[in-house]
Amino acid sequence: MGPPATRMDRGTAEIPAPRSWEPHRRAAVAPVVALIERSRRRLWAQQAVARLPVPLAWLVGACAAVIVLARVGGLPDGLDAWAFGAGASAAVGLAVYAGWPRAGRLATARRIDEHAGSHDALATALWFAARQSANEPAAPWRAVQALAANALAASVDCGRALPWRAPHGIVKLGLAVGALGAAWGSPLPARAPWSRAMLAYAVAVGLPVGTPSVRVAAAGVDGRELDLLRLDGRLLDDIAAQTPHAPTRRWVEDVRSLVDAVAAGRLDRRSALDALATLEAQRPRDLAQPAQEPTRAQAASSEPGTADAGEAERLQDLALRSAISRAAAAAAAAGPPSAERDELKQAAEARDLAALAKVAERVAGKDLSDGELEKWVRAVEKFADALADRKIPEQFQALADRIRRLQEKRAAEGGLGHNDQERLHQARRELDQLRRDQGDAQAAQRQVERLERQARGAADELRRERSPSAGAGSAARATDRGNQEGGSGAGARGTEDGGGGAGDRSASGGRHAGSGSDRGRAVLQRQMRAAAEEMRREQGDQQSRQAGRMGEARLRDLRDALERMAKRSGTGGDGGAGGDGGAGGDGGAGSDGEEPGKGTRGTAGAGGSVPSRARRFALGKGDLRDKSRMELLREGYGEGDAVARSGAAPPGGKEGTGSGGAGTAGEAGAGSGSGDGPGTGNDGADAKRTKTGQDTHLRGAQGAGPDVKKVFTDVARKGFARQGWREVYGEYSEVAEEMLDKEALPPGRRALVRRYFEQIRPAPPAPL
Amino acid sequence: MPSATHPAPASAADIEREMLWMAERLQALRAELRKVVVGQKDVIEGVILALCAGGHVLLEGVPGLGKTLLVRTLAQAVHLDFARVQFTPDLMPSDIVGATVLGEGAGGARTFTFQPGPVFTHLLLADEINRATPKTQSALLEAMQERSITVGRQTHKLTAPFCVLATQNPLEMEGTYPLPEAQLDRFLFKLHVPLPSPEELHEIVARTVRLDVAESNPVLSGEDILRIGRFALGCPIAPFVTDFAVRLVHGSHGTLPPAHQYLRSGASPRAVQALVLGARLRALADGRPQASIDDVKALAHPVLRHRLLLNFDAEADGVRTDQVIDQLLAAVDRGTKN
């Protein structure tokens, strides 16, 4: 026996490469070899093209998905490089995969034979040429086969035998390329509607999802809000640059940083609210806060940092500035005709404390004549007299008393007549106008009194120097007045000045009779410089307080914006509820117990009559127990609470000057919900789907109605047999054999019965 | 085997000449058969191949399709002895093979002499072979396989070529004795004789219902048949063609899904021999010097349809043997292309 047949001998292996054959055998079938090699290369290219589309379609589709995710959901930085590297590696792998393995020679030859209808002529010739030697009895046969194959190879057109066909997955590749082009070229919205609710929820709970712009967008901040926040940031820059008080300036810069962080999406809502609360508590308040009596406004809003407190502070500063400006105007009227007097008049009209300080400095540095000195002394006296003027506070008081009396009358009588009502409105308007023009004179009264005492002391000192005979008494009065000063710097300075001045005067009262002008000038200079310093300090304090108020106002705006973010994240819809509010005008007269309208922003529009998308996504009542928040956000349908709560509406108009508070909120709109109730579909019936069908149960009372019959056909189709034939074959076969032995049957019939049972004999189990 | 009269081809030119001669002779034989037999192209081709291969053929068809006419015409065309035996249930084995009878010699002595039966011929038509008893059927087994008859203690060789063409009626199963698998396996081919088409029926009427009925002329001799057979045996066959036949037959034993599902028993190694030999003859008859997988596929049905036994699942599903063979071919073809 020879060696066992190998795979090669059995003809299932590949034909080896022609270069390994004997040369004469290769030459015998050279045309066939050339044709087959040429065809193999063509087949390889065709297979590579045929195999590439589907994996390429997957790759292109994955790239499109990555682009979409990057734009909508955000990907970590640096993923682009990884994606490119991965894509390039995948492309190389695809190319290798597509070209591996190459079609075999035997398979290629058979394919050509099949096309040519040559009945394996090429394959047979190639095979025998590769395997058999020349010295065999079958050599003549192989020669004949080779001749026929060579003739066939010369006539075969490789291109027609192996035509190019459209790759299997070309449609899929086309769709994937189209998707990639759409994802690349189409500007996907930064806030994809379908992901807004989910992203907003994630941002709301502080999850770091998406790119910054996506987070900002998902948080529900629209473009206008972002613009306003950016404007606020630039305004805060200017404020900080002009704030002399360093702690305040740093605080304003912190506010600016917070606003910028929110606008750029670097902070999520929760972090922003925390930072905001910290900044509100950290506002520097160690300025020289004027002692003040709490006004009605402050009583109504006792929390510092609120709009009311800021407004009260502003009015108080305005009142002080107004009082100083009125006194400066009176002093200018008494001063000597000069450029300084003109500047003093202009500064008084502009209520510019810095300009007043500058004028005082100039007067202090000027070489005054005796006459000018006298006039300036008189100007100082007029300044003090004007500060002592209580006309404005009396007007405030008179109007407030009138309003109070009319309110009491209305409360007592249950209403007011038409004339009284008009008087009440008129009084309110006048009071409001007076407040706008002059500030809160009552709140600034103590500050004005302090300034008046300082000015009076300075005026008396100047007069004493101008009148040496009254120097001792004046000195004593000056000393007394100086001792009455409070602990403020100006008061201390006044005390020092007054005391020093008095001491000097008492010591040299007789000696200065001849140099009273000189001493007067020296005192005037000192007083003017002190006044200039006071003005500058007050100016700086007021600027710092203004910076603080504006910073607090920006923080309030930011808080409103964050609250709107939260509501929009819960709403998930475009546009605010109710649309834009109307332009905010001047605040109207306040009603009972209310502050006059103070919003420079437009009042928020009331909830629109058309239910907006925002409303639908409100959380449903009573659903929180059963569903997660995310489910509710996704569903978004239900009888939700009204969305247009305070501050929910977008700003109605551009903010005006000053730190206006937020406008009043619009009316809360009625929530509208729509949704699928439970058990819809089959009224009165419970439909339960099963794997193979649907069971329907009908509940009803027995009555004279139509019957419903249901036929089960499964058993009829499959029969009623309980056991398979494999289980019963043995018994039946044995019984049949017994009957064959017993009964007298023709041999042919016996064979038929036996043949029948042979045919139905169960087949053995399949080999594992 | 090469004979002294016709040595094996020594060169390619000899082979080409032999191929040309063979193609011409067989073409002439086909033509002679078509003069008498209308249609039945596949049956004629199968019978010719089986005759050249030295095998036997089982013809299955309803009565009146010309099975007997075909065999008789074939015998005339190849100038071979022809015998026809009508198998009946009362047919005895001796009616087939012959018997020893007591006879009187020249000197009046009584001796036993062997009277050969109808099997001693070249072409034996066993008509309705399934009507005879198994005992009688088995008497034909030795003749078909061994090419000899043993009567008593004496073995009598049958002259080559020897070909049994048996017929059976697929309709009448009453009173029949189906051939056992062992006997079926000895037939090289099982050919279905189809019903003629309307055009063929017209042709049949035109040729037969007339005064002068055509007859065939001898175009081949028995020696030519043997020569063709030897020539075909020398034709090399590519191993991948043989491998296809092997996987087809091996798959019929349950390794391929269709076989496992529908077959009770697969084909024997004789099937592989039949496929390979028949593929060679078919290729040469077609003028090709190489057998191909197509030749194996073309012969799969005649070779396998009587060698595969269907199980109950196949009969319950109404699956026929030819359908199972088609599924087997498809399964093997898929494996070849992969």
Side-chain angles (χ1 to χ4, degrees), chain A residues 119-120 145 749 759-760 766, chain B residues 174 260 289 292-293 312 315:
Chain A
H119 299 280
D120 294 336
Q145 291 168 352
R749 299 287 188 182
Q759 286 180 336
I760 67 172
Chain B
E174 291 283 338
H260 175 68
S292 69
I293 290 178
F312 180 68
E315 297 204 7

Side-chain angles (χ1 to χ4, degrees), chain B residues 8-327:
Chain B
S11 65
D14 293 340
I15 291 172
E16 286 182 347
R17 264 198 305 276
E18 194 72 9
M19 281 176 57
L20 191 61
W21 171 84
M22 177 183 165
E24 287 176 352
R25 293 292 92 206
L26 291 179
Q27 189 60 31
L29 179 59
R30 291 191 197 99
E32 288 300 316
L33 291 176
R34 288 199 199 102
K35 278 167 58 176
V36 179
V37 180
V38 178
Q40 298 180 9
K41 182 181 174 187
D42 294 335
V43 177
I44 291 173
E45 198 66 31
V47 168
I48 293 174
L49 289 178
L51 181 63
C52 295
H56 312 287
V57 180
L58 179 61
L59 296 170
E60 189 173 81
V62 295
L65 295 181
K67 297 184 292 293
T68 307
L69 178 64
L70 170 63
V71 178
R72 185 182 296 116
T73 306
L74 178 65
Q76 289 175 354
V78 297
H79 201 59
L80 292 172
D81 293 337
F82 167 71
R84 177 175 180 272
V85 176
Q86 182 66 42
F87 280 59
T88 57
D90 58 348
L91 194 69
M92 300 302 290
S94 58
D95 297 333
I96 302 296
V97 300
T100 305
V101 297
L102 186 65
E104 192 170 319
R110 293 172 184 262
T111 55
F112 284 101
T113 57
F114 175 69
Q115 294 293 328
V119 73
F120 286 89
T121 183
H122 293 290
L123 291 177
L124 174 65
L125 175 61
D127 231 343
E128 295 188 83
I129 191 172
N130 54 339
R131 282 191 176 275
T133 60
K135 185 176 179 181
T136 306
Q137 291 171 359
S138 64
L140 206 52
L141 283 175
E142 184 188 3
M144 292 170 66
Q145 183 63 30
E146 305 297 335
R147 303 289 200 276
S148 63
I149 297 294
T150 302
V151 179
R153 296 178 184 178
Q154 208 167 3
T155 301
H156 307 273
K157 284 285 185 186
L158 300 173
T159 54
F162 174 68
C163 179
V164 173
L165 295 103
T167 68
Q168 62 181 20
N169 186 347
L171 296 180
E172 285 183 324
M173 301 306 291
E174 291 283 338
T176 60
Y177 300 90
L179 290 171
E181 290 79 12
Q183 192 167 7
L184 282 173
D185 197 31
R186 282 166 171 75
F187 287 96
L188 186 69
F189 296 148
K190 179 180 177 181
L191 303 173
H192 282 307
V193 183
L195 284 171
S197 64
E199 293 77 17
E200 291 172 347
L201 283 173
H202 279 289
E203 186 65 25
I204 290 170
V205 168
R207 289 192 196 180
T208 58
V209 185
R210 56 189 290 173
L211 284 174
D212 53 337
V213 179
E215 288 187 357
S216 63
N217 299 317
V219 294
L220 275 176
S221 64
E223 188 59 31
D224 294 335
I225 298 295
L226 295 174
R227 177 181 167 184
I228 291 173
R230 284 194 299 271
F231 182 61
L233 286 173
C235 174
I237 186 169
F240 62 84
V241 178
T242 307
D243 180 71
F244 187 92
V246 166
R247 285 193 285 121
L248 181 64
V249 172
H250 189 263
S252 68
H253 288 271
T255 57
L256 291 175
H260 175 68
Q261 186 178 6
Y262 292 126
L263 294 182
R264 180 157 53 92
S265 169
S268 68
R270 288 198 186 98
V272 183
Q273 296 171 335
L275 287 171
V276 171
L277 181 57
R280 284 170 168 168
L281 277 165
R282 189 173 183 272
L284 290 171
D286 206 19
R288 293 180 276 113
Q290 77 284 337
S292 69
I293 290 178
D294 294 335
D295 296 321
V296 174
K297 289 181 184 177
L299 294 172
H301 287 80
V303 167
L304 295 177
R305 62 167 58 105
H306 58 291
R307 291 184 166 95
L308 302 179
L309 301 179
L310 297 178
N311 59 13
F312 180 68
D313 284 342
E315 297 204 7
D317 291 347
V319 175
R320 295 179 302 170
T321 312
D322 281 351
Q323 291 172 304
V324 177
I325 294 171
D326 290 335
Q327 294 177 12

